[in-house]
Amino acid sequence: MLFTTLLVAFLLAIGLPSVEAMHVDLPVPVGVPNAATAQYGELFFSDPGQASSDPTQASQLEYSFYWSIQQQGTPNETLHGIIQLTGTNMRFAWAGIGFGRSMLDAQFIICHQISSNKYADPTTVEMHEHTSIFKYAPPAHITYDQAAIPVSGAYTNNTLSCEFTRLTRPNDGLHFDLQENNLSPMLWGFNPRSSLNSQGAWFTYHQTEHRGALSADLASGRIYPRQTYSFAKKQAHGFGMMFVWLVLFPGAAFYARYMRFTAGWTTVHMLTQISASLLLATFVIVIFTDWINLSRPHAIFGLCLLAFIASQLVLGVCSLLGLSNEKLQSVRKWVRGTHNTLGFALLLASVAQIALGLDTIYPWTEPRGRAAWVIFIALVAFWFMLFISCEIYWQLKVVRKDVKVGHAAATATQKSEGHRTVTAGDVTELRAIPRRRDTDGTLVPVAANTSTVVPMQARLRPDLVQYSWETLDQAILDGGQLVVANGRYVYSIAEWMTSHPGGQLILHAVNGTDITNDYFHEAGFDAEEFVPKPKAPVQDGRRNTETLPRPQSYHSAADGSDHRASASYTSSLYSGGILQDMKLAPLMDERDWKLVVKSRRTHVHTRLAIQKLSNLVVGELVTEDVNNAAGETGQRFDPHEYRRYALVENTPLAGGQISKFRFCLLYPYDLRVGEPTVIYPGQSIEIQARIDNRIVSRYYCPFVLTSLSMIEVLIKIYPNGVMSSYLSRQKPGNRQVRIRGPFGKPIISPQRSLTSSFMDGDGLDIPRRILFIAGGSGITPFIQLLQVALLPINTPLRVRIDYEAQMDDELTLKKGDRVAVRHHYHDGWAVGVNLRTEEEGAFPVTVTFPRCGTRSRITLIHTVKTATETTMGLEWIEGATLAYPRTLEVHRFVSDGTTPPVPIGTTYPHGLDAQHLDDLVRERFEDVREEERDLVAAGKIYVCGPPGFDGWAVDQLLEFVDTRQIVILPSDRVL
């Protein structure tokens, strides 16, 4: 493309071949013109000094022009003119008069002293019409009919003279019309000793003092000298533009392209561009102080370039602001792409423009400007070779290709493998680390060579500041700008906040987190690891949900057990087959994955950037986990570590008062050793984001209990809420947030799968009575409880009665079978796998025993301001009520008296008051107090609601319930 541009520039510069030989001159009758016959006359130049003794030096020069206007006012109005040049030692002299403002746009009548032999002494006279070729070069012969008609001419007595007539208004569209009653711009010039020009004619430049400009009223004979246009200004403009376009602008582009691994490169690039633009404006002003012809290609092209330069500056400023402005960040990719493309196009166009301008003041065909052309060609060749060589070196030696995660050791149970950087120094390459699930569900690495393992609690660089994830977070809150890479070292990114090519927003997003994957990988580097979440079968509308098998009473087993899901069931299917696959089933669908990749905004950094990273190390991350087993090569899980998540869903509920947010771990296959496989009821996570230039953190209870790779929360949107309002404005795929946890003591112990009851006397997993008092969005922990106790996923449930399949997609179940649920329809039906037959299909949940056991009773008391708030967790509450109506009881209090959209349980058209709370508690705990010796084991009351609500509820409960039975779950801090 560059060669094409240079070729076009060269052709535009040199123009078409000369048509010198194509003109037809009118003969000049021999005769000495009589100046006395002219009405007016003007002496333009006079140098009456002594005659020069040097025969090659002309002297005693005088140049005059005489004229009359004949047939004035008629269509045949004619200028009758005489050109006269007198001097000694003249040879191949020429003298002329021009009509126009400048040599770049005028038409001329030239009187030549010539000879019949090219190199013999001139003895005859010719008169030609010439026209400007829009360059500072000898004007070309007019190839069309002449307007100036020779009358006579001669060279006698050291005097060259030509007489002609010319219509003042030729009206042929080719010749200029003369304004005989107004001031017409005119030029004059001569050369007493011309030499051969580049075209082989005796017609070369006049000296500076042998030319002039004037304004003439030819009809009245008035002549006014005027200032000639400055050739020096044009030279200053030309060389200045060459410096700007061929030195400053390419230098700024080169620095931005190949020096962006240096801190402050944006400042250098911006200052260079601004300086170049200011100089550009200066040199434009210089040429505008002189006269320019805006109809010329060079001028038109230049004005277009100025417009594009202004656009380029605007794009550059927007791209720069997009580094730190959220509103511009969304379009910065397109702005930056347009800025880069337009910049490259402008550099190429500038080569053609400089060639056009250079050919104007130093035509390619003229030898006098060869030095300027040498400089021009040298600069273009220099930048061309520099960019080409640097780009080749950059691609071959500097740019790093992404390291893809392979499948060589992947198995069906290892689809959730992690990967991290293993450190042998400051910076190393990444490698995949295969991991497996231990029997308790935690992640552990596959056996590795333990001889090279350095425990994370051991310090490799005692000279560095020691950080833990807690102290690192505190440093961030104190204004630090730190990241972790290679899973080990802490780096300061402060000096890159204003220079990072990805912008300040991405640095703020990664602040305080591990950036190993971001720094060494492309956004989709782990695409091969992605397995889409299987779509749940659509509920068949023909299925009868009104006649579900309902338990009239639960029959005790012969062994007196509580009919809970038994962890002692140890068939091969349960321990390592179907259930293991179900637990490792992916949680993201293809849409989620696309949004995760979009949110990453990663870039494979160059080797130079990696070297720079090693110079930024300021600390070492040292864990305090002494349980790090020998041979573990993976990074251990720490709940205080902020990990970045992509927002993949933002769904308003309840008329916009509540929103459901779903977050996916930005690198779902980069798991930690010992990472929890599930968030238990009562636990919370902490979400942190940078909002209005300050870091804001809030605690929330996940709405759906899954692993840390997928977190779903329900958040009430407050008009003045900082975090809730911020999240509600975000679009899926456009934002990263930092999340850590889980924190808090679970309501139900994660060590047992609800396998024992208080009556069995071998554990305290779940009380016989649970009363959950929730205010507003404080219902979230209760929804968590339902998912574990009544509507579990991937956990075997015991079948209590036989069920015969009624449709082709249903399961046939026998009493005593175990069935693991894959998906709940929340209408009393679910899709699961019969572990005995390994068949999958739909079945009514009511034919199974509840996971929490048959003797447990769960009561929800939910108070809200409006009925729309009752939609929070509605599907789970409805599904649990339909599945186990004898286990779950629901009471809802609506302060404004409106009716909930879906009636479940008992609804009260008023808020919760002390009397109703007392009645409900006494009714459900009276028998507990009378029959149970261990009150704590027999019943628990959980309170969760907005600030002030929990205190009021506890005050009412203390009148009847033992304090040991009350658990407060704060909604605004760690549980």
Side-chain angles (χ1 to χ4, degrees):
M1 186 174 183
L2 180 60
F3 285 116
T4 303
T5 303
L6 289 173
L7 179 61
V8 172
F10 179 76
L11 293 177
L12 288 173
I14 65 174
L16 297 175
S18 173
V19 291
E20 181 77 20
M22 297 175 60
H23 76 280
V24 179
D25 293 325
L26 296 177
V28 180
V30 177
V32 178
N34 184 6
T37 60
Q39 187 176 2
Y40 307 107
E42 186 73 23
L43 177 65
F44 292 146
F45 180 85
S46 177
D47 180 17
Q50 297 294 324
S52 175
S53 60
D54 184 358
T56 64
Q57 182 68 40
S59 58
Q60 296 181 318
L61 299 174
E62 288 187 355
Y63 176 67
S64 303
F65 178 61
Y66 304 92
W67 76 97
S68 301
I69 299 296
Q70 299 174 348
Q71 304 182 47
Q72 187 171 354
T74 67
N76 294 323
E77 184 178 82
T78 304
L79 169 66
H80 180 204
I82 298 174
I83 299 172
Q84 183 173 293
L85 174 65
T86 301
T88 60
N89 299 329
M90 294 195 304
R91 188 171 186 272
F92 293 107
W94 64 264
I97 194 76
F99 307 101
R101 292 179 175 274
S102 163
M103 185 176 177
L104 299 179
D105 73 333
Q107 293 179 344
F108 304 89
I109 300 175
I110 306 295
C111 182
H112 292 274
Q113 181 189 15
I114 64 172
S115 66
S116 57
N117 186 302
K118 188 172 184 178
Y119 297 98
D121 289 337
T123 58
T124 60
V125 172
E126 286 185 358
M127 189 182 70
H128 310 140
E129 269 193 285
H130 294 254
T131 185
S132 172
I133 59 174
F134 309 111
K135 305 176 183 180
Y136 284 100
H141 281 92
I142 289 180
T143 57
Y144 39 83
D145 291 341
Q146 294 186 184
I149 307 300
V151 176
S152 62
Y155 175 68
T156 59
N157 300 324
N158 294 328
T159 299
L160 172 66
S161 57
C162 290
E163 182 178 3
F164 66 91
T165 60
R166 180 189 185 278
L167 292 176
T168 58
R169 289 182 294 277
N171 294 324
D172 57 4
L174 300 174
H175 295 83
F176 294 158
D177 290 341
L178 305 182
Q179 305 296 327
E180 73 283 355
N181 291 317
N182 296 303
L183 296 179
S184 297
M186 296 180 63
L187 304 169
W188 62 268
F190 65 91
N191 187 342
R193 293 187 65 88
S194 185
S195 56
L196 287 173
N197 60 24
S198 58
Q199 297 177 354
W202 295 94
F203 187 31
T204 54
Y205 289 96
H206 51 70
Q207 286 74 30
T208 303
E209 66 275 11
H210 294 168
R211 53 113 182 191
L214 52 91
S215 296
D217 182 353
L218 297 176
S220 62
R222 292 177 296 173
I223 296 291
Y224 304 98
R226 61 181 175 87
Q227 187 68 35
T228 56
Y229 295 112
S230 174
F231 184 73
K233 287 185 178 180
K234 293 180 174 61
Q235 285 180 310
H237 171 79
F239 285 108
M241 287 297 188
M242 186 185 297
F243 176 73
V244 169
W245 283 107
L246 298 184
V247 177
L248 294 183
F249 279 144
F254 180 86
Y255 201 91
R257 171 61 178 163
Y258 302 111
M259 301 298 289
R260 61 176 54 212
F261 58 87
T262 59
W265 70 270
T266 53
T267 302
V268 174
H269 177 70
M270 178 182 65
L271 291 179
T272 305
Q273 295 281 56
I274 291 176
S275 300
S277 299
L278 292 176
L279 283 176
L280 187 72
T282 300
F283 292 122
V284 169
I285 293 174
V286 166
I287 198 63
F288 267 98
T289 59
D290 203 49
W291 177 82
I292 59 173
N293 187 348
L294 295 180
S295 63
R296 294 181 56 243
H298 178 68
I300 296 173
F301 201 15
L303 292 177
C304 293
L305 288 181
L306 288 178
F308 283 117
I309 279 291
S311 302
Q312 180 74 341
L313 287 175
V314 173
L315 289 172
V317 171
C318 291
S319 179
L320 188 63
L321 292 177
L323 295 175
S324 58
N325 187 285
E326 287 193 30
K327 294 182 179 179
L328 292 176
Q329 179 71 20
S330 59
V331 297
R332 182 175 178 268
K333 176 182 178 181
W334 310 108
V335 171
R336 183 177 61 182
T338 305
H339 179 68
N340 294 342
T341 303
L342 182 58
F344 180 71
L346 284 174
L347 288 179
L348 294 180
S350 69
V351 175
Q353 176 68 350
I354 295 299
L356 284 173
L358 194 60
D359 192 58
T360 299
I361 56 177
Y362 296 115
W364 174 261
T365 56
E366 293 291 319
R368 62 187 179 86
R370 292 297 165 81
W373 281 99
V374 169
I375 295 174
F376 167 75
I377 294 173
L379 285 174
V380 173
F382 168 77
W383 287 117
F384 175 75
M385 296 302 297
L386 184 63
F387 272 100
I388 291 296
S389 58
C390 286
E391 188 63 27
I392 293 174
Y393 177 83
W394 187 269
Q395 295 297 330
L396 295 180
K397 298 295 184 180
V398 178
V399 174
R400 295 177 60 254
K401 301 299 181 182
D402 196 11
V403 182
K404 300 292 183 181
V405 178
H407 282 268
T411 65
T413 59
Q414 293 171 341
K415 293 302 293 183
S416 295
E417 288 180 345
H419 48 272
R420 61 178 291 274
T421 300
V422 181
T423 306
D426 285 338
V427 179
T428 59
E429 295 292 335
L430 284 160
R431 63 182 175 89
I433 299 178
R435 297 175 180 171
R436 60 176 174 82
R437 296 277 184 183
D438 205 351
T439 55
D440 62 354
T442 59
L443 280 168
V444 295
V446 175
N449 182 4
T450 61
S451 62
T452 60
V453 174
V454 180
M456 286 296 290
Q457 62 267 25
R459 300 195 63 184
L460 297 177
R461 295 279 300 273
D463 57 308
L464 297 177
V465 177
Q466 181 178 353
Y467 287 94
S468 66
W469 283 111
E470 287 184 90
T471 58
L472 179 66
D473 179 54
Q474 187 57 50
I476 299 302
L477 294 177
D478 293 338
Q481 295 162 342
L482 306 169
V483 296
V484 175
N486 307 314
R488 188 79 190 219
Y489 292 101
V490 179
Y491 301 85
S492 173
I493 56 174
E495 66 178 280
W496 282 93
M497 292 304 292
T498 58
S499 304
H500 189 263
Q504 295 181 28
L505 295 180
I506 192 63
L507 291 188
H508 286 307
V510 304
N511 198 16
T513 66
D514 192 317
I515 64 166
T516 302
N517 288 313
D518 307 85
Y519 206 81
F520 293 98
H521 285 309
E522 294 174 351
F525 79 101
D526 52 354
E528 294 179 353
E529 295 296 296
F530 171 67
V531 177
K533 174 184 177 180
K535 294 183 179 179
V538 178
Q539 175 66 300
D540 195 321
R542 297 172 298 170
R543 206 181 315 279
N544 189 352
T545 60
E546 300 297 329
T547 60
L548 292 172
R550 301 294 183 185
Q552 300 301 318
S553 64
Y554 292 114
H555 301 284
S556 298
D559 59 3
S561 67
D562 198 20
H563 298 291
R564 300 170 188 247
S566 176
S568 62
Y569 182 71
T570 57
S571 74
S572 60
L573 291 174
Y574 179 84
S575 60
I578 297 176
L579 284 177
Q580 184 72 359
D581 289 344
M582 292 173 68
K583 290 179 179 179
L584 295 178
L587 300 175
M588 293 187 297
D589 57 25
E590 293 184 358
R591 174 185 176 276
D592 295 337
W593 175 251
K594 290 180 180 179
L595 294 174
V596 167
V597 173
K598 178 183 177 182
S599 299
R600 288 177 174 177
R601 308 180 189 280
T602 58
H603 173 68
V604 180
H605 290 72
T606 65
R607 291 181 174 86
L608 295 176
I610 294 175
Q611 293 174 7
K612 274 291 180 181
L613 180 66
S614 65
N615 297 329
L616 303 178
V617 62
V618 295
E620 185 177 3
L621 186 69
V622 180
T623 66
E624 299 177 357
D625 189 355
V626 296
N627 297 319
N628 205 8
E632 285 188 357
T633 58
Q635 183 176 345
R636 287 200 63 83
F637 174 76
D638 188 334
H640 295 95
E641 176 192 357
Y642 274 111
R643 299 164 76 185
R644 281 170 290 121
Y645 286 72
L647 175 64
V648 297
E649 182 179 356
N650 179 358
T651 304
L653 304 173
Q657 299 181 31
I658 301 168
S659 288
K660 180 175 73 172
F661 298 97
R662 195 155 49 88
F663 303 95
C664 287
L665 189 63
L666 209 60
Y667 298 98
Y669 307 109
D670 184 15
L671 305 180
R672 305 290 189 255
V673 176
E675 180 174 324
T677 58
V678 69
I679 301 174
Y680 290 94
Q683 289 187 309
S684 67
I685 49 93
E686 183 180 7
I687 298 180
Q688 187 182 84
R690 182 181 174 85
I691 305 173
D692 296 332
N693 295 322
R694 65 188 182 96
I695 297 176
V696 179
S697 300
R698 294 290 186 272
Y699 289 92
Y700 298 101
C701 287
F703 175 62
V704 178
L705 297 181
T706 60
S707 68
L708 290 175
S709 61
M710 175 81 74
I711 293 177
E712 186 173 322
V713 294
L714 286 180
I715 299 178
K716 186 172 183 179
I717 308 301
Y718 295 95
N720 297 323
V722 179
M723 179 66 77
S724 62
S725 297
Y726 170 79
L727 291 176
S728 67
R729 295 193 302 268
Q730 306 309 314
K731 295 182 179 179
N734 286 352
R735 184 66 63 233
Q736 298 177 14
V737 297
R738 297 187 287 268
I739 299 178
R740 67 178 179 178
F743 298 109
K745 183 179 179 181
I747 296 175
I748 299 175
S749 173
Q751 301 303 322
R752 302 179 180 87
S753 301
L754 306 180
T755 61
S756 54
S757 67
F758 291 106
M759 298 304 293
D760 296 331
D762 62 351
L764 301 178
D765 291 315
I766 185 167
R768 177 181 166 192
R769 297 286 188 272
I770 291 181
L771 180 64
F772 201 101
I773 305 173
S777 58
I779 195 176
T780 303
F782 178 76
I783 304 302
Q784 294 177 324
L785 176 63
L786 290 184
Q787 295 174 48
V788 174
L790 298 180
L791 300 176
I793 298 293
N794 305 331
T795 300
L797 299 176
R798 184 185 299 178
V799 178
R800 65 180 180 84
I801 59 174
D802 293 346
Y803 177 76
E804 191 70 28
Q806 305 298 312
M807 300 178 64
D808 293 340
D809 63 344
E810 294 183 0
L811 283 178
T812 294
L813 301 174
K814 299 297 183 181
K815 182 178 179 179
D817 284 349
R818 259 72 172 178
V819 58
V821 179
R822 286 190 184 274
H823 174 74
H824 283 285
Y825 289 118
H826 302 292
D827 59 0
W829 288 82
V831 174
V833 177
N834 187 333
L835 300 182
R836 177 176 57 85
T837 63
E838 300 187 25
E839 294 178 347
E840 180 174 343
F843 69 96
V845 185
T846 54
V847 303
T848 64
F849 289 107
R851 188 187 181 197
C852 62
T854 58
R855 291 185 292 175
S856 296
R857 297 293 183 269
I858 302 174
T859 302
L860 169 66
I861 301 176
H862 189 203
T863 179
V864 295
K865 293 182 179 180
T866 64
T868 56
E869 295 182 58
T870 62
T871 58
M872 288 187 293
L874 178 63
E875 61 177 358
W876 291 97
I877 298 174
E878 185 178 16
T881 303
L882 291 172
Y884 306 109
R886 289 175 52 82
T887 303
L888 177 62
E889 184 179 354
V890 179
H891 297 267
R892 299 192 292 187
F893 293 82
V894 183
S895 297
D896 65 357
T898 55
T899 302
V902 179
I904 298 177
T906 304
T907 302
Y908 304 83
H910 54 76
L912 178 63
D913 52 35
Q915 183 61 49
H916 281 86
L917 179 60
D918 184 73
D919 291 343
L920 290 172
V921 173
R922 287 178 182 274
E923 181 181 345
R924 281 145 192 83
F925 274 71
E926 188 68 38
D927 60 336
V928 173
R929 297 188 61 182
E930 294 176 355
E931 299 175 7
E932 302 290 349
R933 291 171 296 176
D934 189 342
L935 296 179
V936 178
K940 279 282 187 179
I941 299 178
Y942 297 95
V943 180
C944 187
F949 174 80
D950 50 1
W952 172 85
V954 170
D955 289 341
Q956 307 304 318
L957 294 172
L958 287 177
E959 299 180 6
F960 180 73
V961 181
D962 191 288
T963 57
R964 293 172 296 170
Q965 295 178 285
I966 303 174
V967 177
I968 300 176
L969 303 176
S971 61
D972 59 345
R973 56 190 181 273
V974 177
L975 300 177

